[in-house]
Amino acid sequence: MNNISNNDSRPPGSYSDGNLGEVLLSKEAIRTAVEALGKRISDDYAGSRCLTLICVLKGAVVFFSDLIREITVPVTIEFITAKSYGNSSVSAGEVQIVKDIDTDIKGRDVILIEDISDTARTLTSLISKLKKREPNSIKTAVLLDKPSRREVSFVPDYTCFQVGNEFIVGYGLDFAEKYRNLPDIATLIAY
Ligand code: 5GP
Ligand code: MG
């Protein structure tokens, strides 16, 4: 049953639809980076008894699921959904919370976990909204960072990879809700 063919130039799975370009980040490269990030966070928060990890749905869900299992300090997990209204199909203008977390974060150490920081409007807006709830600290961890696309000044506290301007999918990242289940991250060459 496990005879998924992979010629190493295309992601495995059922998406041989001609729209995927090269694999930008293999699942092995992602795993190595996520393990290292989990170790860094565990070291940085050693002794913290009140770390809350917030997954920004939906794109971060795969990264989040892998990352939390690499963290060795006690954590609680939460999920948030942000909706953006803007002039681009990809990125955010005005950002609104459409599904909020379930618990009070007052006094807690918080890390917001996101798939990719692009214009940075999503994360900067979520940080300012969540800061009003008086957490002890709030930081951000992103799998991918596209610093050249910033519309607002922002540097994530933790980043696994910096990428260029190409549109990428897989490992949680979608195009029109497709490709989230690819184990690798690939460029999308046809839209
Ligand atoms: P921003 O940082 O601009 O507020 O928005 C980040 C969001 O834009 C990400 O969570 C993701 O949904 C989307 N995004 C930005 N660049 C890409 C990309 O290359 N591929 C995919 N699939 N989504 C992207
Ligand atoms: Mg997103």
Side-chain angles (χ1 to χ4, degrees):
M1 286 295 275
N2 292 321
N3 61 342
I4 296 168
S5 70
N6 182 5
N7 63 9
D8 285 331
S9 64
R10 288 202 178 273
S14 57
Y15 287 114
S16 34
D17 59 8
N19 294 340
L20 291 175
E22 60 179 338
V23 172
L24 198 63
L25 295 165
S26 68
K27 61 183 178 182
E28 291 79 15
I30 296 168
R31 185 190 302 134
T32 302
V34 172
E35 282 172 6
L37 178 57
K39 189 174 181 334
R40 256 187 86 193
I41 291 174
S42 303
D43 289 346
D44 291 353
Y45 288 84
S48 171
R49 290 261 149 240
C50 53
L51 178 57
T52 297
L53 305 174
I54 303 181
C55 174
V56 183
L57 293 171
K58 297 176 187 171
V61 72
V62 182
F63 174 44
F64 184 81
S65 304
D66 284 344
L67 179 62
I68 64 174
R69 287 175 287 174
E70 300 298 333
I71 295 175
T72 53
V73 296
V75 302
T76 60
I77 64 169
E78 291 290 337
F79 298 88
I80 199 165
T81 307
K83 188 174 176 186
S84 55
Y85 302 90
N87 52 14
S88 153
S89 61
V90 171
S91 290
E94 279 296 299
V95 175
Q96 196 181 308
I97 294 174
V98 294
K99 185 246 174 280
D100 208 340
I101 56 174
D102 297 327
T103 56
D104 186 5
I105 54 169
K106 186 169 182 173
R108 298 192 66 89
D109 295 315
V110 171
I111 308 178
L112 263 176
I113 299 183
E114 171 66 309
D115 53 358
I116 184 166
S117 178
D118 187 41
T119 66
R121 291 195 183 277
T122 306
L123 280 176
T124 52
S125 169
L126 284 177
I127 288 166
S128 76
K129 289 176 198 295
L130 293 172
K131 268 188 175 165
K132 294 182 182 140
R133 304 179 192 180
E134 301 175 13
N136 180 55
S137 66
I138 182 159
K139 290 194 175 185
T140 50
V142 299
L143 177 69
L144 304 153
D145 192 18
K146 278 187 179 173
S148 61
R149 296 250 318 156
R150 286 294 190 277
E151 291 177 8
V152 287
S153 158
F154 174 70
V155 180
D157 298 288
Y158 301 101
T159 301
C160 289
F161 301 99
Q162 283 200 350
V163 292
N165 269 344
E166 60 269 84
F167 192 82
I168 50 189
V169 295
Y171 198 72
L173 289 101
D174 74 312
F175 175 67
E177 295 299 328
K178 248 175 94 176
Y179 306 112
R180 292 194 197 275
N181 59 325
L182 289 177
D184 306 293
I185 290 175
T187 53
L188 196 68
I189 49 173
Y191 290 49

